[in-house]
Amino acid sequence: MPSVKVLEEKKQMVADVAGKLKKASAGVLVDYQGINVEQDTKMRKELREAGVDYFVFKNTLSRLAVKDAGFDGLLPVLEKGMTAIAVSENDPVAPAKILASYADKIETFNIKAGFVDGMVIDVGGVSQLATLPSKEELVAKVLGSLQAPIYGLVNVLNGNLRGLACVLQAIHDKKAAE
């Protein structure tokens, strides 16, 4: 029988993970079996740099946290295998993109499921999410499309001024030649 102190620590851990899941805009659950230490270290570094929390948690405790967070659709993937969870509060694409790249490289590293904005998604949904451009890329594309008409207007206005300058220069050269 576990002591009261150990039970309280586990309850606190479950509450912490449930809090992270509730705050997250997206998350991905993976079976991390078969990843070596070097690959795991590199992957964790990439996830950290992208602002993604990545943690390994016992499946029994994960089930409690997932249930508490309201993601009951994730319970079947926590029945077997070793599960790690990656969650991001800001960028919903980052965990899927990074973990999908490792799932492509490592044969035994598999994506189990995920969630986006409170909705549970399957492996196919995570794969589709991984193919989306990042938030920064989307912002850059929107800004580029907003700036394109302005650059066009500037070029048209400059074209008229250039034409006027050429005409005035031609008139000046003609008068100077006479």
Side-chain angles (χ1 to χ4, degrees):
M1 179 90 181
S3 70
V4 174
K5 181 181 176 187
V6 171
L7 286 175
E8 288 303 317
E9 288 175 1
K10 287 184 179 184
K11 283 181 184 179
Q12 184 59 45
M13 288 173 19
V14 167
D16 291 344
V17 171
K20 286 182 181 185
L21 293 173
K22 288 177 186 175
K23 288 181 189 175
S25 64
V28 177
L29 282 73
V30 295
D31 181 355
Y32 64 93
Q33 186 173 352
I35 189 169
N36 64 36
V37 175
E38 181 184 337
Q39 293 166 329
D40 187 55
T41 304
K42 185 178 175 188
M43 180 185 66
R44 285 176 186 260
K45 182 179 182 233
E46 284 181 45
L47 290 167
R48 217 177 6 262
E49 288 171 354
V52 177
D53 286 331
Y54 178 81
F55 46 92
V56 176
F57 208 51
K58 285 186 173 185
N59 282 349
T60 52
L61 298 178
S62 294
R63 280 193 293 275
L64 294 172
V66 162
K67 207 173 204 178
D68 188 32
F71 294 116
D72 292 342
L74 295 174
L75 290 174
V77 300
L78 295 171
E79 292 298 321
K80 59 182 176 178
M82 301 187 304
T83 305
I85 303 171
V87 294
S88 174
E89 288 185 30
N90 302 323
D91 189 359
V93 177
K97 190 174 285 273
I98 294 169
L99 293 176
S101 71
Y102 279 88
D104 291 341
K105 294 177 201 172
I106 304 166
E107 195 172 308
T108 57
F109 186 86
N110 299 309
I111 294 175
K112 290 183 164 186
F115 63 91
V116 177
D117 291 330
M119 292 177 27
V120 175
I121 56 176
D122 61 356
V123 177
V126 174
S127 296
Q128 287 179 341
L129 190 62
T131 61
L132 290 175
S134 70
K135 186 176 180 180
E136 290 80 20
E137 291 174 54
L138 291 174
V139 169
K141 286 181 182 182
V142 168
L143 287 177
S145 66
L146 290 174
Q147 288 177 341
I150 295 170
Y151 286 130
L153 177 63
V154 168
N155 283 335
V156 167
L157 293 175
N158 280 340
N160 289 338
L161 290 175
R162 262 185 259 126
L164 178 62
C166 288
V167 168
L168 291 174
Q169 185 65 40
I171 292 171
H172 173 68
D173 290 346
K174 186 178 179 183
K175 288 196 177 193
E178 292 178 353

